[in-house]
Amino acid sequence: MARTIKVNPDAPQKNARFLVLDSRKTLLVPTPRLRTGLFNKITPPPGATKDILRKCATSQGVRSFSTPVGLDARVQVDLVVVGSVAVSEKGWRIGKGEGYADLEYAMMVSMGAVSPETPVVTIVHDCQVVDIPEALLEDHDLTVDYILTPTRVIATGCERPKPAGIIWSKISCEMMEKIPVLRSLRSREKQAGKDVSLQDEPRDLDASRLQTAPLRALRGPQALPLATQREDVPADTVYVGNLPRDAQVSELKTALRARGAAPLRLSWQGPQRRAFLHYPDAASAQQAVSCLQDLRLGANSLRVALARQQRPSDLVDTRPGEPHPNRRPAVADL
């Protein structure tokens, strides 16, 4: 019954894209890394044979036979097809670690192109259906309603809510520069009165927690007393420092899972070469510190300790816009 179907542009979904075109349905494919917009509509030439449709379904065909779809096109997507690295029968999904599928879905919500009732399908091999701990999921992660494998169709019955729109606090200024359509959506939502503060925009510290001067006061000799800064950091937070300059959040997550120390939430501050791990309680955080001693990422030996035991300079940077760890800034695989 679906008339308009969004399928991700990766090679494993080439046959899914062909089947959409062969069924004479409208195929929407996200632009690579969203650099030139959100969607391209694939329009095969008149009288296209199956061979031509197969070419239209390739990455080259997507470039040659597509037209951009703007934000004002009022598109209604009936079915969403996403790729996955791993997926559980509960509908929990892990992607490649870059977060584009999650962001594409959130942008479609913001455009009004999908609703909570729009089915989300992933197509994988049987070996990619595995158990995934719920602790790895975050509020921006997309779940799936159906899993298609070569041998099964799995209805997940997933009740975990899908993203209800773009979580701007998880978007960095760098991403805004790279993805023009995000800037347009942000402008619209700002005009609508929504909070569109970005992950690394300059902002004051949480006055309700610190009862003190704004963040810029921490940059000079008038910094907060050491005890005040340390006490403000939750006891369930672990500091990870000395990350490699080119480290990816997915690499750190993999290392944490390998040590059995996956947190409830991970606040990534890659440009400052650090991250903050948030656990259910202080005891869990202390146990994680013990498990993560001697942890390495690439050639770097990481510094791991309870965040409240760190120096003030490790908690609040001197650069504009650096959030305090108690604000739990953005995650993760965007």
Side-chain angles (χ1 to χ4, degrees), residues 3-292:
R3 301 306 309 163
T4 300
I5 302 173
K6 173 262 178 189
V7 184
N8 64 298
D10 299 311
Q13 311 304 332
K14 179 176 66 175
N15 202 48
R17 294 192 294 272
F18 163 72
L19 291 172
V20 172
L21 295 174
D22 192 44
S23 300
R24 301 296 187 263
K25 299 178 186 291
T26 299
L27 173 61
L28 300 179
V29 179
T31 59
R33 296 183 176 270
L34 305 175
R35 288 195 180 101
T36 59
L38 179 53
F39 292 133
N40 283 328
K41 177 182 176 182
I42 312 307
T43 306
T49 63
K50 286 185 181 293
D51 286 342
I52 293 177
L53 293 180
R54 290 190 185 279
K55 291 180 181 178
C56 291
T58 65
S59 57
Q60 180 59 50
V62 168
R63 290 192 292 269
S64 302
F65 297 98
S66 65
T67 55
V69 177
L71 295 180
D72 296 320
R74 299 188 181 277
V75 174
Q76 188 64 48
V77 176
D78 302 313
L79 179 67
V80 175
V81 179
V82 296
S84 301
V85 171
V87 64
S88 77
E89 293 191 12
K90 294 180 179 180
W92 303 340
R93 160 189 181 277
I94 294 176
K96 292 184 293 186
E98 298 177 304
Y100 283 102
D102 307 315
L103 183 56
E104 289 161 6
Y105 183 88
M107 292 167 72
M108 286 191 286
V109 173
S110 295
M111 290 174 59
V114 295
S115 71
E117 288 72 41
T118 305
V120 177
V121 174
T122 193
I123 306 172
V124 296
H125 194 278
D126 287 280
C127 68
Q128 292 172 264
V129 182
V130 299
D131 290 332
I132 297 175
E134 187 172 11
L136 296 181
L137 300 185
E138 301 187 45
D139 51 2
H140 69 273
D141 288 329
L142 178 62
T143 57
V144 301
D145 302 298
Y146 295 92
I147 304 168
L148 277 63
T149 81
T151 64
R152 294 191 290 169
V153 175
I154 303 169
T156 67
C158 185
E159 297 181 355
R160 185 181 178 92
K162 293 181 175 62
I166 299 172
I167 304 175
W168 294 104
S169 62
K170 296 182 182 293
I171 304 295
S172 67
C173 293
E174 181 181 6
M175 290 184 68
M176 292 292 295
E177 290 298 318
K178 291 180 178 179
I179 306 177
V181 68
L182 265 182
R183 298 198 292 270
S184 299
L185 284 171
R186 187 187 185 212
S187 177
R188 293 184 179 200
E189 296 202 359
K190 185 175 183 179
Q191 291 178 1
K194 296 184 179 180
D195 182 2
V196 294
S197 302
L198 302 181
Q199 168 186 343
D200 46 3
E201 274 189 320
R203 66 183 74 187
D204 290 347
L205 291 177
D206 189 342
S208 67
R209 293 287 304 263
L210 281 181
Q211 298 293 320
T212 186
L215 180 59
R216 57 181 175 271
L218 300 175
R219 298 182 191 142
Q222 303 301 318
L224 290 174
L226 178 59
T228 303
Q229 291 184 352
R230 286 179 173 174
E231 291 170 2
D232 182 62
V233 181
D236 61 5
T237 302
V238 172
Y239 167 88
V240 179
N242 198 36
L243 293 169
R245 294 187 184 279
D246 59 350
Q248 300 292 321
V249 65
S250 57
E251 296 175 305
L252 179 58
K253 284 187 171 184
T254 298
L256 296 175
R257 290 195 295 269
R259 293 287 186 103
L264 289 177
R265 190 175 181 84
L266 187 156
S267 301
W268 179 255
Q269 296 179 12
Q272 287 73 45
R273 302 177 62 189
R274 68 189 179 200
F276 293 94
L277 315 179
H278 308 287
Y279 292 91
D281 48 48
S284 300
Q286 183 62 65
Q287 183 178 3
V289 170
S290 300
C291 293
L292 297 175

